């Protein structure tokens, strides 16, 4: 399919249309410090179409016409705005869609980055943030194919991967972490941020909010000398 004249893919009066939703979500995320200075972003899968933001732009100022649209099966771009390049996070978003996600959010939240600095790097072992007995853990699903969310006494585990010089080079380690932690809906990237995905936009957003709350709390707990887990 020619990439020209595909504007119908991004033109809609419906605020829930992915092209509109990515813009409104990123404007909200900017106010939380999640996507400032062009970092971070959001991608949505809508049936066989993947909506992707441009790379290196102010994410809070994007317009629907800035959006790239990819056909999921073929990985071909159906719409490619000539003035932009697609987000460097695209292969990572696709890795989440390959796991059944409907939306993937990447933030550069300082709370997420601080957590990756507080969990020590253990060479030869996969690093992981762990916390339990915090009410907000109930905002995170038990795992893919499992019913319901974690309970108060469950332990939340979020794997941490090492950062790379270029965002797209994170794909291999992100995919590996997804395989090592099949129940996870998020992967932290050391000194960088986090990728959070969900079955749909609502779940990706609320999970991202719950995790950010937990990370902020965990940083404060560490400052106060309080443990994240019972042992
Ligand atoms: C200052 S942002 C550096 C790149 C990055 O980490 C990021 O998340 C943004 O990538 P994009 O290509 O979507 O602008
Ligand atoms: Zn990033």
């Amino acid at each position: 399919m020619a990439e020209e004249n595909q504007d119908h893919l991004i033109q809609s009066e419906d605020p829930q249309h992915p092209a509109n939703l990515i813009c409104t979500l990123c404007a909200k995320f900017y106010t939380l410090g999640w996507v400032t200075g062009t970092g971070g972003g959001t991608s949505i899968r809508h049936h066989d179409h993947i909506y992707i933001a441009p790379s290196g732009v102010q994410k809070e100022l994007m317009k629907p016409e800035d959006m790239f649209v990819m056909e999921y099966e073929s990985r071909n771009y159906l719409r490619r705005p000539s003035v932009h390049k697609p987000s460097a996070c695209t292969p990572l978003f696709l890795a989440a869609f390959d796991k059944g996600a409907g939306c993937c959010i990447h933030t550069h939240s300082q709370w997420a980055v601080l957590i990756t600095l507080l969990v020590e790097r253990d060479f030869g072992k996969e690093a992981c943030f762990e916390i339990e007995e915090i009410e907000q853990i109930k905002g995170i699903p038990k795992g893919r194919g499992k019913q319901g969310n974690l309970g108060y006494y469950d332990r939340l585990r979020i794997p941490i991967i090492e950062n790379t010089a270029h965002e797209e080079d994170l794909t291999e380690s992100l995919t590996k972490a997804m395989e090592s932690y099949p129940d996870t809906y998020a992967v932290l990237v050391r000194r960088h941020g986090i990728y959070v995905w969900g079955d749909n936009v609502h779940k990706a957003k609320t999970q991202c909010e719950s995790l950010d709350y937990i990370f902020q709390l965990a940083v404060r707990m560490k400052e106060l000398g309080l443990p994240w887990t019972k042992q």
Side-chain angles (χ1 to χ4, degrees):
M1 194 189 297
E3 287 169 29
E4 296 86 34
N5 303 320
Q6 295 300 317
D7 286 357
H8 66 280
L9 293 172
I10 49 97
Q11 286 170 339
S12 171
E13 297 292 313
D14 181 0
Q16 298 303 311
H17 185 280
N20 296 330
L21 210 42
I22 288 176
C23 300
T24 48
L25 285 174
C26 283
K28 280 192 172 64
F29 296 163
Y30 175 82
T31 66
L32 299 170
W34 289 4
V35 296
T36 52
T38 79
T42 299
S43 181
I44 296 175
R45 179 175 178 180
H46 185 66
H47 306 300
D48 197 34
H49 292 165
I50 307 292
Y51 286 77
I52 301 161
S55 182
V57 303
Q58 296 179 77
K59 300 292 180 358
E60 75 282 14
L61 300 181
M62 295 186 300
K63 299 275 176 283
E65 52 268 30
D66 296 327
M67 295 300 132
F68 288 74
V69 184
M70 179 190 276
E71 190 177 54
Y72 177 67
E73 282 304 326
S74 67
R75 309 275 149 127
N76 289 329
Y77 283 100
L78 304 175
R79 185 175 193 277
R80 194 193 319 232
S82 55
V83 289
H84 297 300
K85 284 199 315 188
S87 170
C89 314
T90 300
L92 294 113
F93 293 144
L94 287 169
F97 298 134
D98 289 344
K99 294 284 175 203
C103 174
C104 184
I105 299 168
H106 170 44
T107 89
H108 283 195
S109 161
Q110 291 191 12
W111 300 116
V113 175
L114 280 167
I115 289 297
T116 70
L117 296 172
L118 291 172
V119 176
E120 283 179 20
R121 193 172 169 177
D122 197 352
F123 288 90
K125 277 183 73 184
E126 288 170 319
C128 183
F129 165 72
E130 302 188 31
I131 195 164
E132 61 197 3
E133 296 194 19
I134 297 294
E135 183 70 7
Q136 197 76 27
I137 286 172
K138 293 179 181 173
I140 308 299
K142 277 198 182 117
R144 218 174 139 219
K146 296 184 178 171
Q147 281 296 313
N149 284 7
L150 294 174
Y152 177 71
Y153 292 105
D154 289 330
R155 187 176 287 198
L156 170 70
R157 292 183 177 86
I158 308 290
I160 303 172
I161 60 172
E162 299 307 317
N163 200 23
T164 53
H166 303 288
E167 191 101 25
E168 50 271 41
D169 296 336
L170 291 166
T171 316
E172 193 181 330
S173 48
L174 181 106
T175 309
K176 200 162 162 270
M178 286 168 155
E179 277 154 20
S180 301
Y181 292 82
D183 286 338
T184 197
Y185 279 89
V187 173
L188 284 155
V189 185
R190 204 181 304 275
R191 296 179 174 271
H192 182 154
I194 189 166
Y195 281 83
V196 182
W197 57 94
D199 300 343
N200 53 45
V201 176
H202 164 91
K203 289 186 182 177
K205 175 176 175 285
T206 56
Q207 284 161 210
C208 203
E209 289 164 354
S210 289
L211 288 174
D212 208 58
Y213 168 100
I214 291 166
F215 295 152
Q216 181 171 358
L217 186 72
V219 169
R220 298 240 160 98
M221 287 169 78
K222 188 64 111 178
E223 286 169 349
L224 294 168
L226 301 169
W228 294 336
T229 57
K230 293 287 161 188
Q231 50 187 2

